[in-house]
Amino acid sequence: QSYRRLPTLSVGGRKRKTAAERFPWVDLAGSEIMDEDTAQVNPAEITTKMLDAALAKGAQLQIGMVQGVKREADKVTAVVVDGQDIACKAVVFAMGPWSVLVEKWLPEAKVPMEGVLSSSMVFQMPRPVEPPVALFCGEDEHGCHLEVNPRKDGTVYVCGLGGSAYLNEAQLAALPPKDVKPNPTRVKAALESLRLKTSVVHHVEPEANACIRPCPPDARPMMGKLLENAYLACGHNCWGILWGPLTGQIVAELVTGGKSPVSLEAFDPGRFLPRAGKRGRHMKDQPVGEQW
């Protein structure tokens, strides 16, 4: 229900207010059309709907803390969840930044990862923002490069708050998901930044959130086989929702003995075993998390 196509504006800098007449709520900063046909979907909705579809076809959801695996030679025979062995014919590790834990469970695997911990905001608006348009804002004096996404359900999601924390593998492995929290300083700066660009949120206080983007050193996801019946799917940076459905199809094919619909050579998890790969697009002067 949340899917739609909408225009996107480039906002800020010395741009004239060329789009203000068409989108009156973008009223305080210069803007111009960046794209007329951007796809939008609510990540929570698409994730929940895909889970519901899987459950309807016989899948089961078990929530718990994965503590390790049991194995015989090159096969994983069970996953240890909350102290209980759950037998398996195949296992897929798709744990985002916490996929680094696979190295502890499967010593022959190499899962290098940098985690980019970033804050975000969600505004619960009294009504959907109309006409809908997404905003991509240039970096400003507050250290923000905001991305503003009004949604059909009346919320406005804002990311690009700046000031992200970069976590190494040891820090990721030791960080419980419940301790991933927003940075109040960055939320305050972003709120000030946003209110200089649009008056639509002037009287609404946001809910602050945080997430960790999983970033391999060469800026490419890791997808493929680790052992005879063990697979890895992680490292999608900020493109998890875009890559998610295709990644699911790829892994499903591998687990059931089929063939991936696309070549996985560039995403082979084994590429990190002999030596580290080159960074994405040779962008050696850019942090890994910013290599899109």
Side-chain angles (χ1 to χ4, degrees):
Q1 295 177 352
S2 66
Y3 175 81
R4 64 179 174 183
R5 308 189 79 89
L6 73 170
T8 297
L9 297 183
S10 175
V11 177
R14 297 183 178 181
K15 297 179 180 66
R16 299 170 59 189
K17 297 182 181 180
T18 57
E21 182 175 346
R22 182 176 170 190
F23 304 103
W25 63 273
V26 188
D27 53 353
L28 302 179
S31 60
E32 59 187 29
I33 289 290
M34 180 177 175
D35 179 57
E36 285 283 6
D37 197 28
T38 302
Q40 182 188 65
V41 68
N42 186 314
E45 183 195 31
I46 189 173
T47 303
T48 302
K49 292 292 181 64
M50 292 180 72
L51 173 60
D52 290 344
L55 294 174
K57 290 183 175 295
Q60 294 182 349
L61 171 65
Q62 179 167 337
I63 298 175
M65 177 68 72
V66 179
Q67 299 164 314
V69 301
K70 298 291 180 68
R71 58 186 288 183
E72 294 178 2
D74 284 340
K75 294 187 69 173
V76 175
T77 58
V79 177
V80 183
V81 181
D82 294 331
Q84 177 185 359
D85 290 358
I86 300 179
C88 62
K89 294 182 179 179
V91 58
V92 178
F93 299 102
M95 304 183 295
W98 289 279
S99 296
V100 297
L101 292 169
V102 172
E103 291 188 12
K104 177 181 177 181
W105 305 332
L106 305 178
E108 60 268 68
K110 183 66 176 173
V111 189
M113 192 87 72
E114 183 174 61
V116 184
L117 197 166
S118 302
S119 303
S120 61
M121 303 184 296
V122 175
F123 294 84
Q124 301 285 343
M125 306 298 291
R127 64 188 65 83
V129 174
E130 296 287 350
V133 62
L135 312 182
F136 276 36
C137 307
E139 188 159 1
D140 58 32
E141 65 273 21
H142 292 88
C144 304
H145 45 91
L146 301 179
E147 298 178 16
V148 183
N149 292 276
R151 295 170 171 166
K152 290 173 68 175
D153 63 359
T155 61
V156 176
Y157 171 77
V158 181
C159 60
L161 277 59
S164 297
Y166 290 80
L167 309 179
N168 61 33
E169 293 162 37
Q171 290 171 315
L172 289 171
L175 180 63
K178 65 180 178 61
D179 290 341
V180 177
K181 297 179 180 179
N183 181 337
T185 300
R186 297 315 309 161
V187 173
K188 181 177 183 294
L191 189 56
E192 293 174 357
S193 172
L194 182 60
R195 286 175 173 167
L196 291 175
K197 296 172 175 60
T198 172
S199 61
V200 76
V201 296
H202 273 194
H203 302 292
V204 182
E205 293 301 315
E207 170 191 323
N209 298 289
C211 68
I212 300 179
R213 306 197 318 257
C215 305
D218 61 0
R220 298 199 305 266
M222 290 177 264
M223 296 186 288
K225 181 179 286 191
L226 294 173
L227 296 178
E228 184 176 338
N229 68 335
Y231 304 86
L232 185 65
C234 63
H236 294 76
N237 198 336
C238 55
W239 304 111
I241 293 299
L242 183 65
W243 278 78
L246 177 59
T247 299
Q249 180 184 359
I250 289 170
V251 173
E253 291 288 358
L254 296 179
V255 169
T256 57
K259 183 179 180 181
S260 169
V262 298
S263 172
L264 296 181
E265 181 179 1
F267 312 115
D268 181 8
R271 69 186 186 271
F272 296 110
L273 290 175
R275 59 181 182 179
K278 294 181 179 179
R279 296 177 72 165
R281 297 188 182 179
H282 305 283
M283 296 169 62
K284 296 180 181 180
D285 60 335
Q286 292 282 352
V288 171
E290 305 306 323
Q291 294 183 35
W292 294 2

